[in-house]
């Protein structure tokens, strides 16, 4: 019997350690919030030990602890090295009101009331939530000196799950899928705009308040547009391309390509497909990295779908998805030999029909901003109605592959690049799982997506939130509290937009009437 420690990070055998399952846990780490509520897996304990070694070996002095809010934005705290160990034992606190704000930072609920109206206890008085770091997500930030980065889940101080933690919501739906015998693979194609920053970094005009953001950055175009995949056009941004390549690769993101898109100042990056949760994390880190790297090089990168000055081509997030049978390891979407003439298996057809049936409700997650709905226009390489096609880029869902092709997959082209990746992917799971459960029969494909006799996609954030509010499958899967919370947040945002007097109205009516 060995009572001695095998290494400094591992528990004694007599204390429950030993073998591959030994939790790498220092004595001083025991009894913290994470240990007390059993919030980490063995893999996470092992990753925490590796993180400690990396922090020591590289001389990391600051670590960013961030959670992804309802809008897909990273929020959190940066801790000095001396405080990191405590955060890894017990997490760190933040105001729960962060989960009750719209995109402007305005609280959409009465956060200081005993009853905030969210239907969930734990939010009154803007009390604390606990950010629980996930050490498997730890990265070294290559553009910031001696800085680390770790993603967090969110819990209440009693250890219970915060139902509005989008990372947890995705994990829950992936658990439902696993119980049906499948795992999900997701690939991301993210389009974005990059402008040259020509104004002051910060000025008085850019200072805003909750509900009324300040003026946007002053920018200039970077490419002329209308020249898809033009090599010299991309070469004109080589300083940015090289900076992104170095930064994203150093973050261990599965970067596949950087491309010049059709619109002016428009680029696209693609990442290799991976497990759904891995891809969701990668999208969060990637978007934040792109913006930070671009800013350091004098550019302004935005994942807003249709910014002013780039109206000829909006940006989208093309979400590739497929299923694998966890028992056989076989791809679930390629058709069987008996499915002669079909591009998808029975499983694939039911999954796809579920996505189409719930497209209006899922749009609230896939296209969560007012601006994103201005992308749904005919003959724009973006969809404008609920239809699918075989290798057709004009349809909402493009089916790729076919018999004998293990890479057979579905590409949902309706999402915008600003979408919260956990909620966007979760919306596909809720929709597809309903299709499987009900064994839905797939409607015929379209060969003319902009002329198809098919229902239109929602024309506004107001329409999609109304569809989500009424969708029973989403209520059953996510819970009424989550649906009501999200609808209220987005409705608050949309109503602020409706109350705003736009430059269009001023030009149209001020001199006329």
């Amino acid at each position: 019997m060995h009572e001695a420690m095998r290494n400094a990070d591992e528990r004694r055998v007599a204390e429950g350690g030993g073998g591959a399952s030994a939790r790498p846990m220092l004595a001083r780490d025991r009894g913290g919030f994470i240990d007390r509520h059993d919030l980490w897996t063995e893999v996470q304990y092992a990753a925490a030990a590796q993180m400690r070694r990396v922090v020591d070996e590289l001389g990391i002095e600051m670590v960013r602890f961030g959670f992804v809010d309802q809008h897909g934005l990273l929020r959190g705290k940066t801790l000095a090295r001396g405080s990191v160990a405590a955060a890894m034992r017990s997490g760190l606190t933040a105001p729960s009101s962060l989960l009750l704000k719209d995109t402007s930072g305005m609280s959409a609920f009465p956060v200081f009331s005993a009853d905030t109206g969210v239907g969930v206890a734990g939010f009154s008085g803007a009390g604390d939530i606990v950010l629980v770091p996930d050490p498997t997500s730890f990265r070294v930030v290559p553009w910031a000196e001696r800085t680390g980065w770790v993603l967090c889940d969110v819990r209440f101080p009693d250890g219970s799950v915060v139902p509005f933690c989008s990372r947890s919501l995705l994990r829950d739906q992936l658990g439902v899928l696993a119980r049906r015998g499948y795992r999900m693979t997701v690939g991301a194609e993210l389009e974005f705009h990059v402008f040259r920053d020509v104004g002051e970094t910060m000025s008085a005009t850019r200072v805003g308040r909750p509900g009324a953001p300040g003026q946007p950055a002053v920018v200039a175009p970077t490419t002329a547009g209308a020249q898809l995949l033009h090599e010299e056009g991309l070469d004109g941004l080589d300083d940015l391309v090289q900076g992104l390549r170095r930064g994203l690769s150093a973050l261990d993101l599965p970067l596949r390509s950087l491309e010049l898109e059709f619109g002016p100042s428009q680029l696209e990056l693609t990442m290799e497909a991976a497990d759904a949760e891995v891809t969701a994390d990668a999208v969060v880190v990637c978007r934040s990295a792109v913006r930070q790297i671009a800013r350091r090089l004098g550019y302004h990168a935005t994942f807003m779908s249709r910014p002013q000055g780039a109206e000829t081509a909006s940006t989208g997030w093309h979400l590739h998805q497929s299923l694998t049978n966890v028992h056989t390891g076989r791809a679930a979407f390629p058709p069987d030999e008996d499915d002669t003439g079909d591009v998808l298996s029975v499983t694939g057809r039911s999954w796809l029909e579920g996505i189409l049936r719930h497209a209006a409700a899922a749009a609230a997650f896939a296209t969560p901003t007012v601006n994103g709905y201005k992308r749904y226009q005919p003959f724009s390489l973006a969809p404008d109605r609920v239809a699918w096609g075989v290798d057709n880029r004009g349809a909402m869902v493009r089916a790729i592959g076919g018999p004998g092709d293990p890479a057979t997959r579905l590409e949902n082209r309706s999402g915008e690049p600003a979408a919260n990746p956990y909620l966007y992917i979760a919306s596909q799971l809720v929709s597809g799982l309903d299709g499987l459960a009900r064994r839905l029969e797939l409607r015929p494909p379209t060969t003319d997506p902009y002329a198809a006799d098919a229902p239109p996609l929602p024309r506004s954030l107001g329409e999609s939130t109304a569809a989500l509010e009424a969708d029973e499958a989403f209520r059953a899967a996510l819970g009424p509290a989550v649906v009501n919370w999200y609808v209220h947040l987005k409705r608050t945002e949309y109503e602020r937009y409706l109350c705003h007097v736009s430059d269009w109205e001023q030009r149209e009516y001020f001199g006329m009437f």
Side-chain angles (χ1 to χ4, degrees):
M1 180 182 295
H2 295 284
E3 293 290 329
M5 303 281 279
R6 284 194 292 276
N7 63 58
D9 293 322
E10 200 167 70
R11 290 190 297 173
R12 295 175 182 272
V13 174
E15 296 172 345
S21 66
R23 293 186 175 189
M25 195 175 187
L26 297 172
R28 64 177 180 269
D29 293 338
R30 297 177 198 135
F33 182 84
I34 291 167
D35 181 35
R36 194 164 64 249
H37 296 289
D38 196 26
L39 300 182
W40 279 355
T41 65
E42 300 290 344
V43 171
Q44 287 174 306
Y45 277 105
Q50 179 63 20
M51 175 179 163
R52 282 197 295 269
R53 285 190 285 269
V54 171
V55 167
D56 289 341
E57 290 170 6
L58 298 184
I60 298 295
E61 295 294 343
M62 306 286 282
V63 178
R64 303 174 181 180
F65 289 80
F67 78 98
V68 181
D69 74 0
Q70 55 275 19
H71 308 297
L73 302 174
L74 273 169
R75 301 192 186 275
K77 301 180 180 180
T78 298
L79 299 188
R81 179 173 178 166
S83 300
V84 169
M88 297 302 290
R89 286 194 301 274
S90 291
L92 57 158
T93 59
S96 61
S97 56
L98 287 171
L99 291 167
L100 307 182
K101 295 180 181 292
D102 71 4
T103 46
S104 74
M106 184 177 74
S107 294
F109 296 87
V111 298
F112 296 113
S113 299
D115 181 4
T116 58
V118 298
V120 176
F123 284 97
S124 61
D128 282 341
I129 51 175
V130 182
L131 278 56
V132 178
D134 178 359
T136 65
S137 71
F138 177 74
R139 291 171 167 87
V140 177
V141 181
W143 57 86
E145 185 178 359
R146 297 189 179 186
T147 300
W149 205 356
V150 64
L151 299 179
C152 301
D153 294 311
V154 183
R155 294 273 177 155
F156 285 123
D158 64 359
S160 60
V161 175
V162 176
F164 307 146
C165 173
S166 59
R167 204 166 184 253
S168 298
L169 284 168
L170 173 59
R171 194 176 298 124
D172 290 345
Q173 294 308 307
L174 289 171
V176 175
L177 182 68
R179 290 191 288 277
R180 287 196 66 99
Y182 299 103
R183 64 177 177 85
M184 186 185 200
T185 299
V186 171
E189 297 179 6
L190 290 169
E191 296 169 336
F192 59 104
H193 288 93
V194 178
F195 302 94
R196 293 195 186 276
D197 201 334
V198 298
E200 297 179 58
T201 303
M202 185 57 65
S203 64
T205 61
R206 295 191 63 187
V207 176
R209 65 182 188 277
Q215 293 297 311
V218 179
V219 297
T222 52
T223 68
Q227 295 295 334
L228 180 66
L229 301 181
H230 185 223
E231 183 177 293
E232 289 187 15
L234 188 65
D235 184 69
L237 293 173
D238 192 57
D239 60 332
L240 177 64
V241 170
Q242 294 297 337
L244 292 178
R245 189 267 308 165
R246 286 191 298 270
L248 300 183
S249 298
L251 287 169
D252 292 325
L253 295 175
L255 180 66
R256 179 176 172 270
S257 68
L258 281 164
E259 305 167 15
L260 187 72
E261 266 294 332
F262 184 75
S265 306
Q266 189 181 41
L267 300 178
E268 180 184 62
L269 64 84
T270 67
M271 291 187 281
E272 298 289 350
D275 284 346
E277 192 173 357
V278 172
T279 296
D281 283 348
V283 169
V284 165
V285 173
C286 178
R287 289 191 310 207
S288 192
V290 166
R291 290 174 59 84
Q292 293 181 44
I293 293 169
R295 186 175 63 250
R296 281 166 168 77
L297 294 173
Y299 295 93
H300 180 90
T302 179
F303 290 88
M304 175 183 178
S305 186
R306 198 173 177 83
Q308 291 183 351
E311 291 87 351
T312 56
S314 307
T315 55
W317 170 2
H318 305 151
L319 192 153
H320 294 254
Q321 56 192 288
S322 62
L323 302 183
T324 300
N325 188 301
V326 297
H327 304 295
T328 66
R330 294 182 58 188
F333 283 177
D336 297 328
E337 293 179 1
D338 297 336
D339 295 331
T340 306
D342 286 310
V343 69
L344 294 168
S345 66
V346 172
T347 297
R349 296 198 296 271
S350 292
W351 184 273
L352 174 53
E353 182 60 28
I355 289 174
L356 299 173
R357 294 273 182 103
H358 298 286
F365 298 114
T367 306
T369 73
V370 166
N371 180 259
Y373 291 85
K374 297 177 180 179
R375 173 174 169 264
Y376 293 164
Q377 298 187 26
F379 306 105
S380 64
L381 288 177
D384 70 339
R385 60 199 72 194
V386 180
W388 76 281
V390 179
D391 199 16
N392 192 316
R393 284 183 167 84
M396 177 191 140
V397 180
R398 173 188 175 215
I400 307 166
D405 185 353
T408 297
R409 62 196 184 278
L410 302 174
E411 178 190 17
N412 190 331
R413 299 175 62 84
S414 69
E416 67 172 318
N420 179 316
Y422 306 101
L423 298 181
Y424 185 6
I425 296 171
S427 75
Q428 304 303 281
L429 284 156
V430 171
S431 303
L433 282 165
D434 185 60
L436 292 185
R438 295 164 58 192
R439 299 183 180 179
L440 296 178
E441 289 291 330
L442 179 61
R443 66 195 71 183
T446 180
T447 56
D448 195 357
Y450 294 119
D453 182 16
L457 281 161
R459 298 299 298 169
S460 69
L461 185 59
E463 283 189 30
S464 67
T465 51
L468 174 60
E469 188 174 39
D471 193 294
E472 292 303 324
F474 273 91
R475 286 191 168 276
L478 302 181
V482 170
V483 171
N484 293 341
W485 158 76
Y486 188 81
V487 166
H488 183 81
L489 285 172
K490 287 295 156 185
R491 192 161 281 159
T492 299
E493 182 179 334
Y494 184 60
E495 288 173 355
R496 277 199 302 110
Y497 165 72
L498 292 178
C499 291
H500 173 70
V501 178
S502 68
D503 61 344
W504 184 94
E505 295 167 89
Q506 192 75 1
R507 291 195 310 268
E508 190 82 2
Y509 305 128
F510 190 67
M512 179 68 67
F513 298 108

